[in-house]
Amino acid sequence: MKGTVGELGEFGLIRELTSRIGDAPAVRLGPGDDAAVVAAPDRRVVASTDMLLEGRHFRRDWSTAYDVGRKAAAQNLADIAAMGAVPTALLLGLVVPAELPVTWALELMDGISDECRVAAAGVAGGDVVRGETIMVSITALGDLGGREPVTRGGARPGDLIAVTGWLGWSAAGHAVLSRGFRSPRAFVEAHRRPEPPYPAGPAGAALGATAMTDVSDGLIADLDHIAQASKVRIDIRSAALDIPAQMSDIGQAVGVDPLHWVLTGGEDHAIVAAFPPETKLPARWRPIGEVLPARGRGLPRVTVDGAAWDKAGGWDHFAG
């Protein structure tokens, strides 16, 4: 479709966006009324919200609109899975300049809708407004299926730490893009379009996970959230972490230790969890560390091979 969103108008844009939304079992009433109706069989709703801002979280010269849509949906749906819930629906808030090509907005919606299909969720509704820059705001919903939510606060000394999904791939892809390259493609695509292991969240809950989170800010940073909430400390075994040969090659080319990406790179949305030590984990879960008793104030809550990780890393929106 040619033209800009300003030429199409608010209601024309909404009509075109909603025409690209598929059906989902949990969405009983979708876009078109004052509010949506989403089934909640568990009678509890897991909810999470997040935003992507152009220039801060994505660049149009690095990512297509479709990539941005997939990423926006994925980072929110991953939060639902990390609570041990099944994603059911999401709501979209979209801010766009009037001069934005209509095709960009429609491709964004295609990406959001396709990522929802991967997670077996649906787009229930949303809103669009005019602004000076593009902002994509997503609110995701999920169902616990009768289980208790797995929070960050349940890890106990003696628990093992295990992860499923990719670690450091998005950070390596960002390093490649930052230097003007577009390959190795697998790592660039991991940055543009993460692939969270959605089924692993409910599966981890069923296995008895005592604490769980998705890796959005970096492994050390996100394990620190668990350690703080659980009042424990966590030690990571670096030898247990998977560093593919191609990631090592990228690190050598750009002068970065790839372990740094694995420990501090976010946006892969792997799922990391604490489990009782006797848990028999399926092959998809890789044990990478253990939960230990807390120690004195001022000491790191998360260590690597028993020592503090002294290199900067992890995502903080307000850090210098």
Side-chain angles (χ1 to χ4, degrees), residues 43-62:
R43 301 183 68 183
R44 296 171 296 174
V45 176
V46 180
S48 178
T49 191
D50 210 341
M51 295 181 288
L52 269 75
L53 182 67
E54 182 180 11
R56 182 68 171 172
H57 303 105
F58 68 90
R59 287 173 44 169
R60 278 191 269 173
D61 58 331
W62 283 7

Side-chain angles (χ1 to χ4, degrees), residues 3-7 60 96-102 130-133:
T4 66
V5 297
E7 293 167 343
R60 278 191 269 173
V96 293
E99 63 273 15
L100 183 76
V102 173
R130 177 176 176 171
E132 298 304 313
T133 191

